[in-house]
Amino acid sequence: MQFIDLKTQYARIDRDVKARIEAVLDHGQFIQGPEVQALEARLAEFVGVRHCVGLSSGTDALLAAMMALEIGRGDEIITTPFTFIATGEMIALLGARPVFVDIDPVTYNIDPARIEAAITGRTRAIMPVSLYGQCADMDAIAAIAARHRLPVIEDAAQSFGASYHGRRSCALSRIGCTSFFPAKPLGAYGDAGACFTDDDALAKSLREIRNHGQDRRYHHPRLGLNARLDTLQAAILLAKMEIFPEEVEARARIGARYTELFQARGAVGTDVGGAPVLTPYVHPHNLSVYAQYTIQVEDRDAVAAKLNEQGIPTAVHYPIPLNEQPVFHVGLPGEDYPVSTAIARRVLSLPMHPYLDEETQVRVVEAVAEAAGL
């Protein structure tokens, strides 16, 4: 059983992928070739913003976004501790300080009700993460940001293709950042990412930053990065965009089917400790792309081991909150972020991709139910 089935996807698009790669090999423009501009236009249209700026990874997209906003040493960025290290890592690399705010126990995204208390005179931005494929409560966050005149940067590494009140992820804030890592809902065949914005000046800055800070050849008005999106990866992503809208619908359908199957076996609720198995909750105004289908279980390691014995792969996203990571050590581990701490001990991600058939899902659910004692 595949945790993420890229082989089946490739079988659908192999001719298109090969043709596009061959076109790049023929024209030889491996850096900033025409496929990059074509992909940026396609993605901007899909998201519904004026500008898409392709970058070398989702991590570099976060870094470039903060550099474009001139965030630096001594600044504070409010974000969540329940996320991949890149979110806090890029803040710290700029000399800024990540200020963690605990999460909502239902969606696992940053809790807007806790944000305002964390704002200080050094706060320069709010960076919510749209975790597991569901957008954070961006309207509530935007209202807080507007009151304090702060930009919002959406870390949408897991939510490209998702929507919130009918608007696409990456079009919900001053800058949206996403990742095209191969395992993401829209994945390249290597590292890739992008920033999205309606701000013309920011888009110009982002394009300069990704290319060593130059506004024209050998003229550098700012410090930048070597963070360009490879032409070959752009070509692959163009092929994948042909089927991506269909895959978004399939992900939503398959995620909902998982939940229905679990609920039929008695998995109920979303509160920590509320049942042996807790299924993810998606707000009615959201469409999730289920970058992961993540449940909560007691004695996670034992459950995962039993599934592994049956050939069912699992993963944990994420076992250690950022405040407990040795590189940060923000306060006493778990003391200030009880929801993140509790959920990090219980989350378990199951096989999830657009080609997951119902028979396989039934097998996974039955195995989890048996292992968890449902």
Side-chain angles (χ1 to χ4, degrees):
M1 187 184 300
Q2 299 291 318
F3 187 75
I4 298 171
D5 188 356
L6 296 178
K7 293 181 179 179
T8 298
Q9 181 194 62
Y10 179 63
R12 292 187 62 190
I13 58 174
D14 61 340
R15 290 184 180 179
D16 193 14
V17 168
K18 289 173 181 175
R20 291 178 185 272
I21 290 175
E22 186 173 347
V24 175
L25 296 175
D26 285 342
H27 67 57
Q29 297 179 56
F30 301 111
I31 303 296
Q32 294 298 106
E35 286 80 3
V36 174
Q37 290 75 44
L39 177 68
E40 290 174 337
R42 181 76 178 274
L43 295 180
E45 180 183 14
F46 177 82
V47 168
V49 296
R50 288 170 56 84
H51 303 283
C52 168
V53 180
L55 289 126
S56 52
S57 70
T59 300
D60 284 335
L62 293 174
L63 183 61
M66 288 185 283
M67 291 174 69
L69 292 169
E70 299 183 348
I71 290 165
R73 189 164 302 280
D75 294 335
E76 294 179 351
I77 310 299
I78 292 174
T79 191
T80 166
F82 192 57
T83 180
F84 182 59
I85 187 68
T87 308
E89 180 183 34
M90 293 302 99
I91 296 169
L93 275 177
L94 286 174
R97 175 175 174 258
V99 175
F100 299 123
V101 169
D102 210 354
I103 60 174
D104 170 28
V106 173
T107 65
Y108 313 147
N109 287 322
I110 194 169
D111 186 348
R114 300 173 184 262
I115 290 176
E116 204 144 20
I119 295 175
T120 73
R122 292 182 176 273
T123 305
R124 289 292 311 280
I126 303 171
M127 187 184 290
V129 177
S130 295
L131 198 71
Y132 298 157
Q134 177 173 203
C135 294
D137 191 353
M138 298 299 288
D139 285 349
I141 294 167
I144 295 166
R147 284 198 295 272
H148 295 270
R149 298 182 179 179
L150 296 170
V152 177
I153 305 167
E154 183 191 11
D155 181 342
Q158 298 181 19
S159 60
F160 189 78
S163 59
Y164 170 87
H165 290 293
R167 294 173 288 150
R168 296 278 192 192
S169 180
C170 293
L172 306 173
S173 62
R174 185 80 175 278
I175 305 178
C177 305
T178 199
S179 167
F180 302 126
F181 182 78
K184 301 298 184 184
L186 178 64
Y189 289 158
D191 282 314
C195 288
F196 297 82
T197 185
D198 279 319
D199 188 312
D200 295 349
L202 280 178
K204 180 177 183 294
S205 296
L206 287 164
R207 292 190 177 101
E208 292 172 1
I209 288 166
R210 73 176 174 186
N211 193 23
H212 297 286
Q214 66 178 5
D215 59 357
R216 58 185 184 273
R217 192 165 177 81
Y218 298 131
H219 187 263
H220 306 264
R222 64 172 74 240
L223 292 176
L225 307 167
N226 180 8
R228 299 173 299 248
L229 173 64
D230 286 343
T231 306
L232 281 168
Q233 297 302 341
I236 291 161
L237 288 166
L238 280 167
K240 288 197 172 191
M241 275 301 294
E242 295 298 320
I243 61 171
F244 185 62
E246 179 185 329
E247 291 187 337
V248 168
E249 293 179 4
R251 283 179 171 276
R253 182 175 65 252
I254 290 165
R257 187 166 66 204
Y258 252 141
T259 298
E260 291 169 2
L261 290 169
F262 272 116
Q263 289 178 346
R265 290 300 305 260
V268 296
T270 53
D271 293 331
V272 176
V277 177
L278 300 179
T279 53
Y281 177 80
V282 177
H283 282 297
H285 57 255
N286 279 348
L287 184 146
S288 177
V289 287
Y290 288 99
Q292 290 85 30
Y293 187 89
T294 302
I295 60 174
Q296 291 186 50
V297 292
E298 295 288 352
D299 200 0
R300 175 181 62 208
D301 292 345
V303 172
K306 290 177 181 178
L307 295 180
N308 186 60
E309 290 172 0
Q310 299 182 52
I312 299 173
T314 62
V316 178
H317 304 95
Y318 297 94
I320 305 174
L322 298 195
N323 62 289
E324 296 184 31
Q325 295 289 351
V327 71
F328 291 124
H329 278 306
V330 179
L332 297 174
E335 192 164 291
D336 296 324
Y337 315 98
V339 182
S340 297
T341 300
I343 288 177
R345 306 297 185 263
R346 291 171 49 93
V347 288
L348 184 69
S349 298
L350 303 176
M352 179 66 207
H353 54 81
Y355 304 99
L356 196 60
D357 60 63
E358 185 170 1
E359 181 180 352
T360 302
Q361 286 189 274
V362 169
R363 180 186 164 199
V364 171
V365 170
E366 292 295 324
V368 171
E370 180 181 352
L374 276 181

